[in-house]
Amino acid sequence: MSTQGSNTLKVVEELQQGTVEQPAKIPRLKDRLTEELVIALVGPVGSGCTTTYETLLSKFKDDYSYSVHYYRLSDFIAQGAKLIDQAVADNLSASERVDRMQTVGDELRKICGTSYLAAKAVEKIAEHRDTVGFGKSADGMAVPKKLRQVHIIDSIKHPDELKLLRATYGDIFWLIGVFAPQSVREQRLTVQQNLDKPALGAIMQRDYREEDDHGQKVRDVFYQADFFVRNDQENKLQLEKSLDRFLEIIFGSPVHTPTLDESSMYAAYAEAAKSACLSRQVGAAIVSPEGELIGLGRNDVPRFGGGLYTEDAGESDHRCHAWQDRRCHNDKKKDLLYQQIFTKLQKGGLLADHAKLEEVTKALKTTDAKQLIEYSRAVHAEMDAITAVARSHKPGLLSGTLYSTTFPCHSCARHIVASGINKVIFIEPYPKSLAGELHSDAVSESEADAGKKVLFLQFAGIAPKNILKLFNVGLTRKASDGKLKSFDKKTAPPVVAVSLDDYSTHEKYVIAELAENEEKASHGKQSALFDA
């Protein structure tokens, strides 16, 4: 037995015999579970992340007796400008200021690491904890207090910022995705924030996804949210209702169950897990107008007799990972296409003598040729779901709803239109899709076109990855008298609880790296310590 183990047994024996002084209170693990939360917001510019914060502020304070602490990443951009010898002038117009802030934010991520701004938020949270968050244990050690507080971060723009926050705070961290249609966002930005219309398109596009690794990539963060909320109304009633439900769920109200949208998207999400496609996993589910699940689909290779290959196929499995040279056939055919184009241009004397295949291929991959999906062996998830309904002879496809983990490609879009489905709900955007461009006569992302076109709408609700975590938590719904158990918002703990003694240590690691980054930035050296 180790020395440490022997010492522990000795202390226990002495306590039992009463030969040593009993401490005032022996900590119990169940008493060390935190009620603290960290919430980050993400949304395309104009979606209303700040409005969402204001709504959360009142609900946490008034309904749940939480203290609320707010951190705007844009404040850290303004503060960090001096660190990299940049400035955000006071005499700029609204549009010029946004553009300047975007530029400085990009430069900070480039010099100090792509998760720098999130690290600054962690630093501020830790500073607050150092002030009010520690007490003394029975043996005089500093230990984190059990505080009913929430930290809200507005708003993150890069996937590495999300990675850092998740790694630091684990299960006490929640990401809320806020969205509104583009027309609503444009109106807000021009009327409420006084942005110039000519500059609006560039600002919105830059915010959504820049090509540089250190640029803003809201699109790549948004779909990873834990909860999606629609904020497209002139008043806040819908927003308040959605956030009320989300908070009641994460605090363990016993009366909530998944909505039809949530359970249907969860079915699509679970089906995606069965895909072995080398490119990505996509799942789809079709629900009849009456709400019955009638078809499931995933992206994978079709097999003789109907359906797709599965893990159970064994030696007969001919999916790409086990077929021929075990390579994505679509990528293979595109590489062959690049070679054919190079050869034709070379033989036709249309290339310089020193031109190389690698250089031409690299140039071609900057065109839409890279986006070709025509050579894939896989059936797409949406098509698989539609054919699954056809094979089973189930009614309900006409006027049904298709749930997809990813926005449908243009090829799937035309099949969806032809099948008679009248609504598509999706989570992850898909830039390669030309659905809106090629089928604008039949497809729309505006709810105003309901009944006239197939609606492609962003999913709202609890993310499918959290369905079992939040709705299968073993809560007792009834009291000893058989009645519904009471739910007191002011004392209810979060349903997902972690130890108080973990994340405060994580913060120290982040802050140590942050100081190192800023030191290097002050010497004009680039660092990627936070690039995860």
Side-chain angles (χ1 to χ4, degrees), residues 52-83:
T52 302
Y53 154 69
E54 292 167 352
T55 306
L56 286 170
L57 169 66
S58 63
K59 294 189 179 301
F60 268 110
K61 289 181 65 175
D62 300 338
D63 297 346
Y64 291 88
S65 295
Y66 263 64
S67 60
V68 181
H69 310 281
Y70 181 51
Y71 313 86
R72 288 197 314 174
L73 296 195
S74 58
D75 290 341
F76 302 138
I77 293 176
Q79 295 164 12
K82 296 179 182 178
L83 182 68

Side-chain angles (χ1 to χ4, degrees), residues 467-488:
I467 291 294
L468 295 184
K469 179 162 62 174
L470 292 176
F471 293 106
N472 188 31
V473 293
L475 294 174
T476 302
R477 285 194 169 93
K478 64 180 180 179
S480 57
D481 60 1
K483 294 182 179 180
L484 177 67
K485 190 176 181 180
S486 62
F487 173 62
D488 183 0

Side-chain angles (χ1 to χ4, degrees), residues 164-229:
L164 181 75
L165 293 170
R166 286 205 194 280
T168 305
Y169 295 108
D171 284 339
I172 72 167
F173 175 80
W174 299 92
L175 178 64
I176 298 179
V178 186
F179 68 91
Q182 182 170 328
S183 59
V184 173
R185 294 190 287 117
E186 288 176 346
Q187 192 269 343
R188 288 173 178 167
L189 293 171
T190 53
V191 176
Q192 298 175 14
Q193 298 189 32
N194 197 31
L195 295 186
D196 300 329
K197 275 196 172 183
L200 201 57
I203 288 173
M204 295 177 74
Q205 181 59 38
R206 186 176 183 183
D207 169 78
Y208 196 55
R209 191 173 192 270
E210 291 184 290
E211 292 301 322
D212 291 337
D213 290 341
H214 54 271
Q216 297 182 121
K217 301 179 187 297
V218 168
R219 189 200 77 186
D220 297 336
V221 180
F222 182 84
Y223 77 91
Q224 300 183 64
D226 297 294
F227 177 68
F228 300 89
V229 60

